[in-house]
Amino acid sequence: TVVCNDEQMEAERGVVDRVYGSREALPFDVTVRRNLSTAELAEALREDVDFLHYIGHIDADGFECADGKFDVGTLENVGVDAFFLNACQSYEQGLALIQHGAIGGVVTLRDVINSGAVKIGATLSRLLNRGFPLRAGLTIASDQSVIGQQYVVVGDGGLAIAQAESGLPVLCEISTTGDPDEVEMTYRSFPTNHQGMGTLVMPMVESSSNYYLGLSRSNQHTVSREEVIEFLSLEDGPVVIDGKLHWADEFDPSVL
């Protein structure tokens, strides 16, 4: 469920609406709701859903709704398993969700500016949709934003709301070397509640025949530019090139 109670953050709602459930091999039902009242938000929190992405405002009195404020502490229990409360000062309400039955979620510690929150929200939603667990997804998204340190995980950060195509979600990290034909590449995988820490992985590049545990980073490999382009075509996932996050399906080889 995606709830947008702030018209100024419609850009984020539009992105997450397109992202969640967009994988052909692993679609899931997405409900988008806007400008909820306190009663409607309470109903949304009690519903049995895997994930709730909230876009709006939160303060010491609770969620800002169309007819006032709603405090999660007034509920006896919640049906939401995981959540992302992309709003200012959402820590206390997120903690209340955990105390009333949720498993894990992402919250903010202080006020966050709208533009930064939209960027974090859009990036994290894409990572979660690709099978990254909450903590790993937030770590990657936070590294790309100056307000990233205002976001934290509460509850179980290893919870994933979707499965990765390759079994474990993978982050490819590439550093250019100045040589137009070669780059340095590492391959980092993350354990989830679907695939645990004992899982073995092997980067699908010719220069590597080693297996690695699913919570580790592979050795740095010197690979050809063509080999990297072929590797990134195998799966639509995140790739960090010289510190900047890109996506394999939108990858522009000219940045290498």
Side-chain angles (χ1 to χ4, degrees):
T1 299
V2 178
V3 174
C4 182
N5 271 12
D6 181 6
E7 294 181 356
Q8 294 182 358
M9 295 178 71
E10 277 290 309
E12 180 180 346
R13 188 205 64 79
V15 171
V16 301
D17 188 18
R18 293 191 302 271
V19 167
Y20 289 132
S22 61
R23 293 165 57 188
E24 292 183 5
L26 191 65
F28 48 88
D29 295 330
V30 181
T31 300
V32 179
R33 306 181 67 178
R34 302 172 61 182
N35 302 321
L36 298 189
S37 66
T38 54
E40 289 169 335
L41 180 59
E43 177 188 359
L45 294 173
R46 284 193 294 261
E47 290 178 351
D48 184 14
V49 296
D50 295 310
F51 184 68
L52 173 80
H53 186 136
Y54 176 82
I55 305 165
H57 293 285
I58 295 176
D59 60 23
D61 296 322
F63 291 78
E64 184 174 301
C65 299
D67 60 346
K69 302 293 178 63
F70 178 77
D71 181 5
V72 173
T74 61
L75 292 176
E76 292 186 4
N77 54 68
V78 300
V80 172
D81 289 338
F83 57 87
F84 177 26
L85 305 185
N86 201 10
C88 295
Q89 305 177 51
S90 62
Y91 176 83
E92 294 296 337
Q93 292 297 306
L95 193 60
L97 284 172
I98 297 295
Q99 293 168 342
H100 287 74
I103 300 172
V106 175
V107 297
T108 61
L109 297 172
R110 300 183 181 88
D111 290 349
V112 290
I113 58 174
N114 275 4
S115 59
V118 168
K119 181 178 180 180
I120 289 274
T123 303
L124 182 56
S125 64
R126 294 191 71 169
L127 291 165
L128 295 178
N129 193 59
R130 300 309 307 179
F132 282 79
L134 296 172
R135 183 176 293 109
L138 178 60
T139 298
I140 297 168
S142 296
D143 286 344
Q144 302 297 315
S145 174
V146 295
I147 66 168
Q149 70 276 10
Q150 301 299 339
Y151 289 79
V152 296
V153 171
V154 291
D156 183 2
L159 180 65
I161 65 170
Q163 291 179 299
E165 291 180 10
S166 56
L168 287 179
V170 171
L171 176 66
C172 183
E173 299 173 308
I174 296 172
S175 299
T176 54
T177 62
D179 186 330
D181 298 321
E182 292 184 339
V183 298
E184 298 292 336
M185 186 183 85
T186 58
Y187 181 91
R188 186 178 179 188
S189 55
F190 301 86
T192 71
N193 54 312
H194 301 295
Q195 299 284 345
M197 291 186 289
T199 305
L200 294 178
V201 297
M202 183 179 73
M204 298 298 293
V205 291
E206 293 182 5
S207 58
S208 175
S209 59
N210 295 327
Y211 286 88
Y212 299 88
L213 283 175
L215 48 66
S216 63
R217 178 177 293 169
S218 72
N219 296 328
Q220 192 171 63
H221 308 281
T222 300
V223 297
S224 69
R225 183 173 180 271
E226 289 73 21
E227 192 173 8
V228 168
I229 294 172
E230 181 180 357
F231 174 78
L232 294 178
S233 69
L234 298 176
E235 181 179 349
D236 173 22
V239 52
V240 173
I241 303 175
D242 292 333
K244 185 177 181 181
L245 182 65
H246 300 260
W247 291 89
D249 65 331
E250 303 169 354
F251 175 66
D252 180 1
S254 68
V255 302
L256 294 178

